[in-house]
Amino acid sequence: MVISDALLDIDQVNQLTGLSQATLRNWEKRYGFPKPQRSEGGHRLYHVEEVQKIREVVSLCKNGIKILEAIERVLKGTSPVSDTAVAISQPTSPVFVEPLNEGISQVLKALYKYDMELAEQYLSRLGMRLSETDLLEMVYPKLLMKVGEDWENSRINIAQEHFSWNFLRTRLLNYFKSNRVGVNQPKVLLTTPPGELHEGGLIVLAAYLMLKGWQVYYLGVNLPMDDLLHAYEGIEPDIVCLSAIESENIEKNWNELEKMKCVVVGGPCLAELRVQELPESKHISLVGGNLHSAVAQMELLLHSAT
């Protein structure tokens, strides 16, 4: 089972299309368009393809086409995409992005100089402008990615990479102390399969789920399959999250993964997995996108399983 990476909430669709949330709901009720999915909490979630169609309808309406006719044209595929209905990307404001990127750069410069106190100050400044979830969605992934890229391109040495990674990992682990488990929240097991030693994205996801009140069981990296299955039987999670870089580490363990009822796989391995002829699976799903999108997809899986 493969789920599209791009699932957007109604606020994001509002930003991408210019339509108010009230208009989107009204169109859905009156015309049966668009057709969003629903998260476990009942929130509307739109596939990126659906949002593209909304933009096409908006473009046609601006050119004098009545709304009902515009919807029919788009749904029938008889309307070419106009210049204004450009490909969708995550909305960003330069006024916000520039200081954010500057703050991230300052954190990295401090880390590369082994200045933990200064890095902490810069990270705290970002925390004053952003919520905890924003930090996890917009700051930590960029920091981790940039450290990895700088090491791969020999812009920093191994000592600087280790120091920076351990600093960031320690801060992320602090989220595990939040103890915000909500009532009737999902139980999730997170790990990487054998041969996978990178946990950056996975530990960010674990921290994010902690903030959402999920019951998080984080088992680290490079977990042998026998031990994963043993943990699965003992914990009885609602969902298992695996992160991998190499697709072969998922492919060769496919049959073992099938023994668990709800497994999601994410990470850089997705690009190769999606072009492989994988066996049909009722239990394994490929999930990507940003944190918000990935978790929304996980909630949909859990909802469909009940």
Side-chain angles (χ1 to χ4, degrees):
M1 181 177 182
V2 179
I3 294 181
S4 169
D5 286 352
L7 280 170
L8 308 175
D9 63 28
I10 196 168
D11 184 57
Q12 291 172 303
V13 176
N14 159 241
Q15 296 177 57
L16 290 167
T17 64
L19 296 179
S20 69
Q21 295 186 22
T23 298
L24 287 165
R25 294 189 186 99
N26 186 45
W27 281 16
E28 180 185 339
K29 181 179 180 179
R30 181 174 296 181
Y31 306 112
F33 172 86
K35 293 183 178 180
Q37 297 187 30
R38 296 279 182 160
S39 71
E40 188 177 12
H43 300 293
R44 289 173 171 82
L45 294 171
Y46 300 78
H47 278 286
V48 67
E49 294 87 356
E50 190 81 349
V51 180
Q52 185 65 48
K53 291 176 183 177
I54 298 171
R55 287 162 69 99
E56 290 182 47
V57 170
V58 171
S59 179
L60 288 172
C61 290
K62 286 181 179 178
N63 287 308
I65 307 297
K66 293 183 178 180
I67 181 171
L68 189 57
E69 181 182 350
I71 291 172
E72 289 176 351
R73 285 191 187 187
V74 170
L75 294 181
K76 290 179 180 178
T78 58
S79 173
V81 179
S82 70
D83 292 337
T84 57
V86 295
I88 294 171
S89 60
Q90 189 70 16
T92 53
S93 166
V95 176
F96 175 70
V97 171
E98 287 178 11
L100 175 62
N101 288 338
E102 181 182 351
I104 289 172
S105 179
Q106 289 172 330
V107 174
L108 291 170
K109 287 177 181 178
L111 289 174
Y112 295 166
K113 293 178 181 178
Y114 306 107
D115 194 331
M116 187 180 299
E117 183 176 347
L118 186 58
E120 190 72 71
Q121 290 177 12
Y122 285 135
L123 194 56
S124 295
R125 289 181 189 177
L126 288 170
M128 291 174 65
R129 302 204 312 250
L130 300 168
S131 67
E132 289 179 305
T133 53
D134 284 339
L135 277 174
L136 289 171
E137 285 195 81
M138 304 167 65
V139 175
Y140 280 104
K142 289 185 178 180
L143 286 169
L144 292 167
M145 184 180 299
K146 193 66 170 65
V147 169
E149 289 177 352
D150 287 346
W151 177 75
E152 287 180 3
N153 292 292
S154 302
R155 289 191 285 265
I156 60 174
N157 60 36
I158 294 178
Q160 290 170 305
E161 188 272 339
H162 283 12
F163 178 83
S164 301
W165 161 242
N166 284 314
F167 173 90
L168 296 171
R169 186 178 190 276
T170 300
R171 271 68 193 165
L172 287 166
L173 288 174
N174 285 335
Y175 285 90
F176 286 48
K177 303 175 184 177
S178 62
N179 193 28
R180 302 183 186 183
V181 177
V183 179
N184 297 323
Q185 287 297 309
K187 188 185 296 185
V188 55
L189 186 160
L190 302 99
T191 188
T192 72
E196 291 289 340
L197 302 176
H198 297 276
E199 63 176 337
L202 192 70
I203 200 170
V204 172
L205 174 60
Y208 187 83
L209 293 174
M210 280 277 188
L211 288 182
K212 287 180 64 68
W214 287 38
Q215 302 177 62
V216 175
Y217 293 80
Y218 184 73
L219 303 187
V221 301
N222 195 29
L223 189 66
M225 287 305 303
D226 287 345
D227 294 320
L228 172 55
L229 292 172
H230 181 270
Y232 177 79
E233 292 177 1
I235 296 171
E236 297 184 340
D238 299 299
I239 190 166
V240 176
C241 296
L242 296 178
S243 177
I245 293 177
E246 301 296 334
S247 61
E248 65 181 59
N249 290 327
I250 297 297
E251 293 177 71
K252 66 186 180 184
N253 292 302
W254 193 266
N255 290 336
E256 295 298 299
L257 296 177
E258 279 282 12
K259 296 177 181 179
M260 297 178 284
K261 68 177 182 179
C262 187
V263 178
V264 296
V265 176
C269 67
L270 292 184
E272 291 187 15
L273 286 176
R274 288 199 168 103
V275 299
Q276 302 293 335
E277 293 186 5
L278 298 170
E280 285 292 328
S281 174
K282 295 182 179 179
H283 301 143
I284 305 172
S285 301
L286 309 183
V287 170
N290 60 29
L291 276 176
H292 181 85
S293 174
V295 173
Q297 293 171 63
M298 290 163 60
E299 289 174 338
L300 283 171
L301 284 170
L302 289 172
H303 181 70
S304 64
T306 57

